[in-house]
Amino acid sequence: LSAFRIAFMVPNLSRRLFGEGALSSSLIPVLTDMLHREGEAPARRLAGSILLLLTVGLTALTIVAEVGLWIAVRWMDEPALELTALLLPYMVLICATAVAGGVLNVRHHFASPAAAPVVMNVALILGMWLGACVFQLSGRPLMVTACAATLASGVVQAMWQLAALRQVGFMPIFAWDWRSEPVRRVFRMMGPMILGLSTVQISSLADYLVAYVAVTNAAGERVGPAVLGYAQYLYQLPLGVFGIA
């Protein structure tokens, strides 16, 4: 579980920086302004350009990181590295889901983006229950099952948001408009937000890494991130239920 917490922090960090965090927060005001001034077609093209650039960029980053991680896994038997390699594609899926959710919010559609995390929670609970209770898995094989359930939920979440965009009549027009002024404006606004958000997120990742290396139980198992994760779930519950909502 400690290794899974480390692995899950990586796509979660990307989601907060490039998904619902800096990118989505930068896209929403620009997209809203364009929608009111120029109409739906240019706004849909902007949304499609951002989604395409995000997906291509993160996919390239994922491929490079995967090569490095699997090389490292061959040299050391470290479950955190293995699970991180398995979960990296979730980074692309969840970031695209978050940005699509921001576009839906601009169109005053809030149900699908708000319910998307439920898909991940249900998939993770169901995957863990099947792995532990039905197939009698434990330890690393059970965490591999958790990674598979998380990836499956990412596919469902992404497809759900695209279906919702089609339903509200605002399907993005995918184009490679990385030089257009609206796209540049979105990325210019991202800069300060990334600096602010990355401080907290990288600090949290560092907390988990220190806990993973330094905290062990009597049997020598790395239990730090698992314990730290339970504590964070408790104090983040009211934040997630009331504050963010």
Side-chain angles (χ1 to χ4, degrees):
L1 182 58
S2 289
F4 179 79
R5 297 264 196 231
I6 295 289
F8 192 71
M9 279 292 292
V10 176
N12 199 46
L13 171 65
S14 302
R15 175 178 64 86
R16 293 185 182 275
L17 292 181
F18 304 115
E20 67 189 22
L23 181 54
S24 186
S25 298
S26 303
L27 173 62
I28 286 174
V30 178
L31 185 63
T32 303
D33 180 60
M34 176 169 281
L35 184 63
H36 289 155
R37 287 192 301 106
E38 302 184 28
E40 284 201 0
R44 288 168 56 204
R45 189 176 180 90
L46 171 61
S49 298
I50 294 296
L51 277 168
L52 183 60
L53 289 166
L54 173 74
T55 303
V56 171
L58 289 182
T59 300
L61 180 62
T62 299
I63 292 172
V64 173
E66 288 281 14
V67 172
L69 283 169
W70 287 116
I71 291 174
V73 167
R74 293 195 63 178
W75 287 97
M76 62 182 77
D77 183 26
E78 179 52 68
L81 292 176
E82 178 187 349
L83 298 183
T84 300
L86 292 174
L87 271 181
L88 264 185
Y90 184 68
M91 173 175 68
V92 182
L93 296 167
I94 197 59
C95 288
T97 297
V99 172
V103 176
L104 284 166
N105 287 341
V106 171
R107 299 299 296 156
H108 303 116
H109 183 83
F110 304 102
S112 297
V118 177
V119 175
M120 193 275 289
N121 287 331
V122 170
L124 190 56
I125 292 170
L126 182 60
M128 293 291 282
W129 179 80
L130 287 172
C133 299
V134 177
F135 297 103
Q136 302 297 310
L137 299 177
S138 62
R140 191 182 299 192
L142 182 58
M143 290 301 100
V144 171
T145 304
C147 291
T150 303
L151 290 172
S153 76
V155 174
V156 174
Q157 289 178 79
M159 298 304 295
W160 187 5
Q161 302 313 303
L162 286 176
L165 285 168
R166 181 176 282 109
Q167 184 180 8
V168 300
F170 202 78
M171 191 65 184
I173 300 173
F174 296 102
W176 195 255
D177 287 346
W178 63 276
R179 290 186 176 182
S180 69
E181 178 55 31
V183 172
R184 291 184 177 184
R185 185 180 168 196
V186 170
F187 287 122
R188 281 198 301 268
M189 293 174 65
M190 276 182 63
M193 294 185 183
I194 285 179
L195 287 176
L197 289 170
S198 62
T199 303
V200 176
Q201 298 306 315
I202 293 174
S203 176
S204 297
L205 179 59
D207 289 343
Y208 272 79
L209 291 173
V210 170
Y212 189 72
V213 172
V215 181
T216 58
N217 61 10
E221 298 170 326
R222 302 179 188 273
V223 299
V227 177
L228 186 60
Y230 285 128
Q232 288 184 333
Y233 278 164
L234 289 175
Y235 86 77
Q236 286 182 353
L237 178 63
L239 172 66
V241 173
F242 300 107
I244 295 176

